[in-house]
Each structure stands twice: as structure tokens, then as C-alpha cells.
Amino acid sequence: MRGANPPSCDSGTGRDTRWRLHYDIYQYFLPENDLSEAAFVSHMRKMSEVQDIVANGIRMMTLSSEDKTDLYFSSLPGQGVIYNVIVRDPFWNTSAAYVPIHTYACNLNAVVDNCSSLRRLSTKVFFTTFAILSLFVCFFGHRFWKTDLFFMGFIFMAFFFFIMISRTADLHYDVNLGLTALTGVVGGLLFVLYWWRFGIVFLCMLVIGLVLGFLVAATMFFTPLGNYKIFQDDAVFWVTFCCFALMVPVVFVSCPRVLNILACGIIGSYTVVLAAACYLYTSLSYIGINLLRRILNDDFRRAYSSVPFQPNDFILLAVWTMLAVGGITMQLHRERSEASFPPHPYQLWMRERERRITNILDPSHHIPPLRERIFSKISQIKDLFHKEQLAGERTPLLL
């Protein structure tokens, strides 16, 4: 009526108002690595009608009119995903679908870093090189103990350094990755040096157990368990995460050799999967990526993490399982009659040094000190640059 105040939209909350409505949010993943327009149009039809949405989509959650409709979902760059909402009226038993929306979480038209070229060359070089070492550790890590220590020290130091530099410095990704690799090498060498000097197995296995525990905890939260609303609280999430991570070294504290072999097989084989993710799309790489997102992005705690499981993922999951089981079984069989860990290197070096000093019959006793050997080598090098004197008699012959 003209001149009268318009009626209030929310004047009541009875059955004849909008408050009785319920909203179902559905998600549908497009095929991996398929960015064609034909695929987009055909799959978009599957998320347009109510019956098709229910048949093809995955219901993520149901909201009532009283809930806050402010939702976040983790993005998967290069992976197409369609969202739609079905509104239901329980009083009249009717439903209707909203207009579907979609995203690839990347720019299809960009010349550089578009959806088809998301994987950088530096990432491929880094993980391919590291995968060669990890494959060796997966099958021979416990036998070559120092190589195993370098591998685990690299991961431990590189992981925390990448987090620190990403949060404190605004550097290019390639620079970050290069500095991370350099720091990882330093961390691996320091871990080997620590073993050589002190030889404490317990502290070495604590670091190795924590690396494996972090992977186990990240895998647990990669499952639907991580989408429970209680874990959107940072305190609850990190306390639970740390409990999962610490559980691994605590459970295997009495059998460190088994823990080390398990860590070699599981972590080494997963690194191979990460290297494969540089060349073909797989959701398994988000086991680690989602953890980094949670640490580096303060708003990621509110996001629902859901990833597709398609043929590539099943193949790589089988590869990961076979490599891990094969590496663990092979090392357990080969090391069953060997000593659990090698002897303390520094103590062996000291004993050998004392033996050489006291035993004059030992040929090594007569080897000059290191300083004299170095000066001798330098003098030999200098002799190469001296002009050779002509041979022959320089004084006249006496008749």
C-alpha cells in the first residue's frame, strides 16, 4: 500500500516463513587434467538439475536458515570443480537448485603460469633429484646409515626453513626453493656430523620418528577426519596433530631399528609419489601441501579440504604401497641377522688413532703427520712448474 511501511521479511520464524528452508551444498570434480570446453559443458549439465545433482555430486553439508552461510573450500589449482546448492522446503516437500558455479583455481588465459603449466621447472628438478635419493633410501636406507641420516636431516631442516622463510620474507618461489634445498643439504650434513661425533642413537631416532610422525599425522587429517568442525580451532588441531606425530616415536621407542626401516620405506616411497606429482596430477601430493597451507595461511583453518580420487590417484597409491611394502620387507629380511646400528664412528676413529700411535710395528705408524703430507704434496705441485735443468757436463774436461 502506498505510503505504508513495507512488511518485514523476517517478522517470524514459523512454518510459513523462510526459516523453515534447508540448504544442501554439493561438490562435483571434473576429470583430472581435462581443461577442454566440451568436458566442462557436459559435466556442467550434471550439476544443473536437482535429480542430476543428487545423483552425481557429493553433499558436503546441510545448512539451515539459522546457520551462517559463509563457507570456505580449499582450492586445487588446475583441477576443475563445480558447486551447487539445493534448497529444500520440508513443509511442502519441494526442492530447487541454484545456478551452478565452477572454478579451476588458475588462469586459463595467462601466457605464463596458466592452468596447463602450473608445475615449475625448479620444482621438477628439485623433487626428481630428491626422488632418486629417496628411492635408494627406501630399499637400502638402514644399511647405508649415514645416507639415511642425511636424507632425514634434509627433510627435517628443509621443512622448517621453508615455513620460516615463507612467513618472514617475500621472495620469488624459485629463490625460496633454492634456499630451502641449500639449507636442507646443510641440515643433512649436520645430522651426519652429529652422529659421527656423539653417536647417540636415541636422539637420531627421535628426529626420524618425528619426520615419520608428521607424515602419519598429515595423512590422518587428509582424510574426512580433518573436515570436522572442531579442528577449525587451531589449538585443538595442533594439539591433536602433535599427539599423532609424537605417537610414532613413542610406540617404537623399544625397537629403533624397526622404526628406522619403516621410516625409510614409507617416507622414501612417498617422496617418489611427490616427484610423480610434478609430471601428472594426483591428489596424494596434497597430504603435504594441505599441512603447509594450514601453517602458512591463517584463514585455511576455516576451509573444507576435499580432493578427488581418480585413476591417477589409485595408480600412485598402489605404487606408494608397493614401494613401501617392498622396501620395508627387503630391509627387515636383510638386516635381521646384522647389528641394529653401526658402532660409534668417533670412538672407532680414536681407537684407531691410539693404535697407530702406540704400535710401532704398524706400517701406518710411520706415516707422516697430516700437515707434513700436505706440504709435501704442495711442493710436488710446485716442482711441476720448475724448468728442468739440461743434463750434461758443464766443466771442461781435464786432459
Side-chain angles (χ1 to χ4, degrees):
M1 181 181 296
R2 181 173 296 182
N5 293 327
S8 175
C9 296
D10 295 329
S11 57
T13 58
R15 292 194 305 175
D16 56 343
T17 64
R18 71 171 182 87
W19 293 94
R20 69 179 185 270
L21 301 179
H22 295 273
Y23 303 88
D24 298 332
I25 293 87
Y26 283 83
Q27 183 185 59
Y28 178 80
F29 288 104
L30 298 176
E32 293 175 346
N33 248 1
D34 190 348
L35 306 176
S36 64
E37 183 178 351
F40 167 73
V41 173
S42 64
H43 290 283
M44 201 69 165
R45 293 194 185 101
K46 297 181 179 180
M47 291 293 288
S48 299
E49 301 292 337
V50 173
Q51 294 78 9
D52 296 331
I53 296 172
V54 174
N56 299 294
I58 301 173
R59 189 172 68 177
M60 302 299 295
M61 66 196 72
T62 298
L63 301 177
S64 67
S65 297
E66 298 176 354
D67 294 326
K68 185 179 181 180
T69 56
D70 186 12
L71 302 177
Y72 296 84
F73 294 91
S74 62
S75 60
L76 309 174
Q79 171 62 55
V81 59
I82 301 173
Y83 294 98
N84 207 339
V85 178
I86 295 177
V87 55
R88 293 185 293 105
D89 187 340
F91 180 72
W92 294 105
N93 197 24
T94 57
S95 60
Y98 280 68
V99 176
I101 59 172
H102 77 284
T103 180
Y104 287 95
C106 57
N107 192 339
L108 291 166
N109 300 320
V111 178
V112 181
D113 289 339
N114 55 44
C115 293
S116 301
S117 60
L118 288 172
R119 300 170 182 88
R120 298 175 179 269
L121 178 61
S122 58
T123 306
K124 294 180 179 180
V125 172
F126 177 83
F127 280 103
T128 302
T129 305
F130 198 50
I132 297 173
L133 175 62
S134 64
L135 193 61
F136 177 84
V137 170
C138 178
F139 290 94
F140 306 101
H142 192 73
R143 172 65 62 88
F144 296 89
W145 171 239
K146 293 179 183 177
T147 305
D148 178 24
L149 291 177
F150 175 82
F151 177 75
M152 298 298 177
F154 182 100
I155 294 175
F156 189 84
M157 184 66 75
F159 179 79
F160 288 103
F161 179 81
F162 183 81
I163 294 172
M164 181 189 69
I165 196 173
S166 297
R167 292 191 70 96
T168 58
D170 187 15
L171 300 177
H172 190 269
Y173 172 80
D174 293 341
V175 177
N176 276 0
L177 191 63
L179 292 175
T180 300
L182 181 61
T183 306
V185 171
V186 173
L189 293 176
L190 288 177
F191 201 25
V192 174
L193 182 62
Y194 164 81
W195 161 254
W196 186 88
R197 178 60 184 85
F198 299 101
I200 302 176
V201 174
F202 175 77
L203 293 180
C204 292
M205 294 314 304
L206 178 61
V207 174
I208 294 174
L210 285 176
V211 174
L212 178 59
F214 265 65
L215 179 59
V216 171
T219 305
M220 293 294 294
F221 284 100
F222 179 71
T223 64
L225 174 68
N227 286 329
Y228 281 98
K229 197 169 184 178
I230 189 175
F231 294 121
Q232 292 183 357
D233 187 303
D234 281 336
V236 176
F237 176 84
W238 288 116
V239 168
T240 309
F241 186 92
C242 292
C243 288
F244 279 128
L246 291 172
M247 190 182 300
V248 174
V250 170
V251 169
F252 292 96
V253 66
S254 61
C255 41
R257 177 167 62 176
V258 175
L259 173 59
N260 186 56
I261 292 176
L262 288 176
C264 290
I266 296 174
I267 298 173
S269 55
Y270 179 68
T271 311
V272 175
V273 172
L274 289 180
C278 296
Y279 301 93
L280 51 92
Y281 186 89
T282 174
S283 299
L284 294 177
S285 60
Y286 284 91
I287 293 176
I289 293 175
N290 282 349
L291 177 61
L292 288 175
R293 285 177 169 180
R294 183 68 185 251
I295 298 172
L296 298 176
N297 191 339
D298 295 332
D299 292 329
F300 191 77
R301 61 185 176 85
R302 295 186 289 176
Y304 288 88
S305 301
S306 179
V307 297
F309 237 70
Q310 299 183 13
N312 284 351
D313 305 304
F314 287 107
I315 293 172
L316 286 177
L317 181 60
V319 171
W320 182 13
T321 304
M322 288 188 294
L323 286 176
V325 172
I328 293 170
T329 304
M330 178 178 174
Q331 293 194 72
L332 287 175
H333 177 74
R334 187 177 57 243
E335 303 295 331
R336 67 186 188 280
S337 58
E338 301 291 335
S340 296
F341 292 94
H344 186 185
Y346 182 73
Q347 290 181 352
L348 291 179
W349 179 75
M350 290 296 293
R351 291 172 187 170
E352 183 66 17
R353 182 185 178 190
E354 291 295 330
R355 185 185 64 81
R356 290 197 304 266
I357 293 175
T358 57
N359 187 5
I360 61 173
L361 298 179
D362 188 349
S364 63
H365 176 83
H366 305 285
I367 298 177
L370 178 61
R371 184 177 179 182
E372 294 183 10
R373 282 181 283 165
I374 293 175
F375 281 122
S376 176
K377 292 293 183 182
I378 295 175
S379 63
Q380 291 178 9
I381 295 174
K382 288 182 179 179
D383 291 341
L384 296 176
F385 299 95
H386 288 170
K387 186 176 180 180
E388 185 177 357
Q389 299 294 333
L390 295 176
E393 190 69 46
R394 289 188 176 273
T395 56
L397 292 175
L398 297 177
L399 297 178

